């Protein structure tokens, strides 16, 4: 599979990288690094927060060939090495970005210090559904997804409370390259790591939204159980009142959960 080129934005304050632990944050399908703005403003004082974009989304170049989730994980390690060569990092990702996190844990566990998988699962949706969506978007463009995405992404009332932020997120979808979006759908169609979760040994938290119909709390429990069955450390947490975009909908809660995991891992490493 082709390895797509990825780019990232620094969301923490401008300063030389390396004095603070590195946190790499990944987006969901149709969104961009904007998804992480609020969490980064809460964590950016203590951590270097870098958010990457999917191919053809945000600042990443369009994809010209198919890729799978494993290739996205490999490309992300290349990206980290271009920013902070050889550095180990904490990773957090939402939905497809969370799937990339699971592949990082499976394929590149030695590079991860912790893993926060949010609104995601070891398998998301059905291959048929993703292939149908890929075809729709390839022929009609990403704007055709806006109405349905708004319903899946946000809990009732969020768009009324946060019109500007929700519209910035939906603009990321509108502005995404249709072919790259379709390749992402095809990557999700082929993604199923339910039998590989036992290979993840990095400390992991799995965050679900109680109102998420795409990646349900049961899917988060399944990920955590699969990791612990292999001897790893994982906990699943459900946040009430939110749907599919935890860092946008509950930034303070997500930042607290991430900070607990990261500071536990960092203090454990410092004590060794
Ligand atoms: O269906 C959506 O748009 C939500 C979603 C599924 C996978 C992903 O990354 O986002």
């Amino acid at each position: 599979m082709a390895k797509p080129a990825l780019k990232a934005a620094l969301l923490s304050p401008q300063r030389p990288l390396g004095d603070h632990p590195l946190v790499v944050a990944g987006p969901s399908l149709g969104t961009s690094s904007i998804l992480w703005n609020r969490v980064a403003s809460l964590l950016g004082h203590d951590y270097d927060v870098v958010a990457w974009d999917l191919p053809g989304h945000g600042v990443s170049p369009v994809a010209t060939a198919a890729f799978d989730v494993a290739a996205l994980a490999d490309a992300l390690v290349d990206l980290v090495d271009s920013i902070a060569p050889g550095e180990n990092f904490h990773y957090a990702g939402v939905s497809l970005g969370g799937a990339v996190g699971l592949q990082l844990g499976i394929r590149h566990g030695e590079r991860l210090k912790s893993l926060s998988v949010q609104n995601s699962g070891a398998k998301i949706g059905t291959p048929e559904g993703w292939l149908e969506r890929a075809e729709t978007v390839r022929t009609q463009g990403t704007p055709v997804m806006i109405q349905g995405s708004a319903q899946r992404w946000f809990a009732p009332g969020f768009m009324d409370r946060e019109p500007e932020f929700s519209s910035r997120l939906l603009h990321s979808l509108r502005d995404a390259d249709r072919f790259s979006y379709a390749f992402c759908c095809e990557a999700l169609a082929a993604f199923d790591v339910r039998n590989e979760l036992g290979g993840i040994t990095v400390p992991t938290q799995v965050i679900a939204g109680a109102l998420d119909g795409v990646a349900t709390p049961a899917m988060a429990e399944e990920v955590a159980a699969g990791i612990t069955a292999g001897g790893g450390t994982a906990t699943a947490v459900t946040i009430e009142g939110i749907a599919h975009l935890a860092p946008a909908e509950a930034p303070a809660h997500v930042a607290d959960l991430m900070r607990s995991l990261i500071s536990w891992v960092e203090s454990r490493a410092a004590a060794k």
Side-chain angles (χ1 to χ4, degrees):
M1 276 279 169
K3 199 161 43 164
L6 302 176
K7 290 210 177 300
L10 175 68
L11 300 186
S12 48
Q14 283 283 349
R15 61 193 174 213
L17 292 181
D19 290 343
H20 299 81
L22 177 62
V23 177
V24 178
S28 63
L29 178 64
T31 70
S32 69
S33 61
I34 291 168
L35 176 60
W36 287 98
N37 279 357
R38 289 178 167 184
V39 169
S41 70
L42 295 165
L43 297 180
H45 179 71
D46 301 312
Y47 309 113
D48 292 329
V49 183
V50 168
W52 63 279
D53 283 324
L54 289 162
H57 294 59
V59 295
S60 282
V62 301
T64 52
F67 51 81
D68 57 16
V69 177
L72 282 173
D74 295 350
L76 182 57
V77 171
D78 290 351
L79 174 68
V80 171
D81 281 338
S82 74
I83 299 168
E87 190 167 329
N88 293 345
F89 55 96
H90 301 274
Y91 181 82
V94 178
S95 202
L96 176 52
V100 170
L102 293 174
Q103 279 290 18
L104 285 172
I106 292 162
R107 296 169 71 83
H108 301 283
E110 76 291 349
R111 297 299 301 275
L112 289 187
K113 293 159 105 179
S114 74
L115 175 60
S116 179
V117 177
Q118 306 183 8
N119 304 104
S120 194
K123 173 182 188 295
I124 303 170
T126 62
E128 306 73 45
W130 287 117
L131 296 178
E132 190 182 320
R133 195 192 294 195
E135 195 49 30
T136 303
V137 172
R138 216 173 244 128
T139 51
Q140 299 180 45
T142 56
V144 75
M145 296 309 303
I146 288 178
Q147 198 180 346
S149 299
Q151 284 162 1
R152 288 188 298 275
W153 289 2
F154 307 120
F158 181 79
M159 290 182 70
D160 293 331
R161 284 195 308 280
E162 301 280 359
E164 198 188 315
F165 194 35
S166 50
S167 109
R168 283 188 76 196
L169 287 162
L170 290 166
H171 283 169
S172 305
L173 169 61
R174 183 200 62 190
D175 296 341
D177 169 60
R178 65 168 78 181
F179 302 105
S180 304
Y181 184 105
F183 285 138
C184 289
C185 293
E186 287 161 356
L188 281 161
F191 177 70
D192 183 353
V193 294
R194 286 174 295 178
N195 291 329
E196 296 169 67
L197 294 169
I200 298 178
T201 54
V202 64
T204 300
Q205 69 184 187
V206 196
I207 300 175
L211 305 178
D212 190 348
V214 179
T216 61
M219 289 163 65
E221 299 281 354
E222 178 185 49
V223 170
I227 293 172
T228 50
T233 305
T235 52
V237 183
T238 296
I239 301 179
E240 295 302 322
I242 67 157
H244 191 60
L245 298 185
E249 297 180 271
H253 200 150
V254 167
D256 281 351
L257 288 167
M258 287 175 61
R259 186 186 291 281
S260 308
L261 176 66
I262 293 169
S263 49
W264 176 69
V265 168
E266 290 288 335
S267 54
R268 205 179 54 155
K272 276 189 185 154

